[in-house]
Amino acid sequence: MRSTLRRSLTAAAVAAAVTAAAFATGPGTAAADPSPLAEPASAALVEVEIPGPEHGVLAGSGHTHIPAAGRDRPAPRLSAAERAADGEVTKVIDNGSTADRLDVVVLGDGYTAAELDRFHTDARDKWAEVAAVEPYTTYQSLFNVWTVDVVSNDSGVTGDPGPATVKDTALGAYFWCGDIERLLCVDQDKVDAYVALAPEADLVIVLANSAKYGGAGYNERSQTLGYEGISTASAGNEKSGQVAIHETGHSLGGLADEYFYPDLPGYEQYTGPESAEPNTSTFDATRMAERRAKWYRWLGEESPDGGKVGVYEGGGYFATGLRRPTDNSLMRVLDKPFNLPGVEAMIAGFYRHARVATAVTPAGTTLRHDQKATVAVPRLTGPDGHQLTVRWYLDRREMPHFEGRTEVRVAELGLRRNDFRTHRLTVTVEDRTAAVRDPDIATTLRSAVDWRVRR
């Protein structure tokens, strides 16, 4: 999740920030003998987010660079039966075709072949936790969820319970990454090898077979497989799911972190240009409204995370100079909802991958008098109860009497017997949610399907 604002912190700097904030969830440095967790010096570096919900606030979090390939691990030594189970793909939640849905792929690490049933339970439980947070709740029908069975030789993961613990696991998951106890890293190349087995992943979640608090966010788009990012989380820890949801705020919503470091040198004041992310800004409320910038459309509205949308000092890691929309959204505090601008950004992210009109009758085909055009439309399930608008057009002229229908017969179109022309039949499905006020985003919440029709 690189951005124009992102400034990477070394492991030592992060540890210092945690100490200075006096938010202790665990040591910020490795044990005296770090050899079990030594990183290969020549590996390429990637940036990851370090989750740290001290007292619920993510003020102790940070970012560091770690080797892209993680640590070297012995090649798996699986029996024939274990090899047969390894790599099996299951569609856990089926809401439609991969082409029209946002596909989430869940992998597990540190699960032996005998523990795969528990992995499937853990995957369902974590996704249920994600789906309980808006706007996922409303839009859960836009998601498919897949699991890929990953068989490890050892149960559990390296670094749990302590830095001297080393496990032989398929994805090389380990705590104490970058000498930070809660930072749960993985070998990205090994993750990609399993993700490639599932159909066209858009988002990847890796669950570690552990109850130890931890996680990480690899929020850059995969250059090889195209998915948005990887979130790691401990399957057995009640807070880890919240970290995974927070990370999707970056990868799907393009959101900045809204926490900041009040005592870290270099982060006292931001003096750079206007931020690229939709939820941080250098503008105060007056300038934001005058310039019609960022979240100006939401100023003064009650936000689901509490209080009114405004401009609150601190965000994007800086104590001053950058502002956030609300005091305590999920991008700053775990167990809080996304704020209104965050919800809007998340919906935009969903629609980058999902469509609300799926052609049941193959699009582009020519339909005759006795045939019909059928489209599948997902049902939204959120608390506001808003539904999708379905409209039909013949040669761009709307046929209002068909509104709301998902199937129309050519015989109903009123084509004359002596009309031998080819006409175009179009159905549009549009989400007119009140959660989106930006017209540029609103235009993306619409899908269309066309057919040719003849008498």
Side-chain angles (χ1 to χ4, degrees), residues 172-183:
Y174 63 109
F175 292 95
W176 296 92
C177 177
D179 293 342
I180 300 165
E181 181 175 9
R182 61 180 174 261
L183 185 54

Side-chain angles (χ1 to χ4, degrees), residues 139 347-348 351 356 388 429-433 436 441-447:
Y139 291 95
I347 293 172
Y351 277 96
V356 286
L388 301 171
V429 183
E430 186 175 5
D431 180 4
R432 294 184 172 182
T433 174
V436 171
I441 296 176
T443 60
T444 70
L445 313 187
R446 179 180 180 274
S447 300

Side-chain angles (χ1 to χ4, degrees), residues 48-74:
V48 296
E49 180 171 12
I50 305 157
E54 291 81 5
H55 304 303
V57 180
L58 286 159
S61 300
H63 301 78
T64 190
H65 285 89
I66 58 96
R71 292 204 313 278
D72 292 335
R73 287 289 184 272

Side-chain angles (χ1 to χ4, degrees), residues 231-251:
S231 296
T232 72
S234 302
N237 187 280
E238 63 179 8
K239 291 293 185 183
S240 293
Q242 287 286 306
V243 173
I245 300 167
H246 169 95
E247 295 302 336
T248 68
H250 298 300
S251 56

Side-chain angles (χ1 to χ4, degrees), residues 120-446:
H120 291 153
T121 298
D122 290 343
R124 288 182 178 275
D125 288 346
K126 284 301 178 188
W127 181 251
E129 187 174 344
V130 173
V133 174
E134 286 290 355
Y136 284 100
T137 303
T138 291
Y139 291 95
Q140 56 189 294
S141 60
L142 296 187
F143 289 80
N144 290 329
V145 180
W146 306 79
T147 57
V148 180
D149 290 351
V150 181
V151 179
S152 292
N153 285 320
D154 293 339
S155 177
V157 295
T158 293
D160 179 12
T165 303
V166 177
K167 300 281 188 175
D168 180 9
T169 65
L171 303 180
Y174 63 109
F175 292 95
W176 296 92
C177 177
D179 293 342
I180 300 165
E181 181 175 9
R182 61 180 174 261
L183 185 54
L184 177 62
C185 292
V186 290
D187 185 319
Q188 290 178 273
D189 290 338
K190 293 177 181 178
V191 168
D192 279 357
Y194 282 94
V195 171
L197 300 176
E200 298 184 20
D202 297 313
L203 188 68
V204 176
I205 298 173
V206 177
L207 298 180
N209 185 13
S210 171
K212 184 181 180 72
Y213 174 78
Y218 297 74
N219 292 304
E220 290 185 348
R221 177 179 289 274
S222 168
Q223 297 301 307
T224 54
L225 299 179
Y227 60 78
E228 294 275 12
I230 302 171
S231 296
T232 72
S234 302
N237 187 280
E238 63 179 8
K239 291 293 185 183
S240 293
Q242 287 286 306
V243 173
I245 300 167
H246 169 95
E247 295 302 336
T248 68
H250 298 300
S251 56
L252 288 178
L255 297 169
D257 288 309
E258 294 178 9
Y259 54 81
F260 49 91
Y261 301 101
D263 301 306
L264 187 65
Y267 287 83
E268 300 91 346
Q269 184 175 13
Y270 177 76
T271 57
E274 174 63 1
S275 61
E277 293 88 348
N279 63 325
T280 55
S281 179
T282 61
F283 302 143
D284 59 23
T286 300
R287 291 182 66 203
M288 186 175 291
E290 289 175 349
R291 297 187 177 212
R292 301 170 66 84
K294 292 297 176 73
W295 58 90
Y296 80 94
R297 297 179 181 88
W298 296 108
L299 290 173
E301 297 287 349
E302 293 289 338
S303 188
D305 56 317
K308 293 185 177 182
V309 176
V311 284
Y312 294 76
E313 192 71 57
Y317 325 126
F318 289 88
T320 62
L322 277 180
R323 300 170 176 89
R324 61 191 188 279
T326 57
D327 196 20
N328 288 314
S329 82
L330 181 55
M331 298 313 292
R332 181 172 185 240
V333 180
L334 298 187
D335 294 317
K336 283 283 190 176
F338 288 102
N339 54 35
L340 289 174
V343 168
E344 184 173 47
M346 293 300 291
I347 293 172
F350 296 168
Y351 277 96
R352 282 201 306 273
H353 301 278
R355 288 169 45 87
V356 286
T358 299
V360 177
T361 305
T365 55
T366 299
L367 306 179
R368 299 290 183 168
H369 183 75
D370 57 348
Q371 294 178 304
K372 60 187 177 182
T374 305
V375 65
V377 177
R379 181 177 295 276
L380 303 184
T381 56
D384 60 2
H386 78 272
Q387 295 299 310
L388 301 171
T389 300
V390 183
R391 293 181 169 180
W392 294 83
Y393 301 82
L394 184 64
D395 296 331
R396 299 184 180 181
R397 294 192 302 274
E398 185 176 359
M399 298 177 287
H401 51 292
F402 292 148
E403 183 173 338
R405 290 176 53 174
T406 57
E407 183 177 282
V408 169
R409 293 184 177 276
V410 176
E412 298 178 87
L413 299 179
L415 299 179
R416 293 177 297 178
R417 288 182 178 273
N418 60 348
D419 186 351
F420 301 107
R421 294 173 299 164
T422 298
H423 300 271
R424 185 172 71 175
L425 178 65
T426 304
V427 62
T428 65
V429 183
E430 186 175 5
D431 180 4
R432 294 184 172 182
T433 174
V436 171
R437 292 186 175 182
D438 185 334
D440 291 336
I441 296 176
T443 60
T444 70
L445 313 187
R446 179 180 180 274

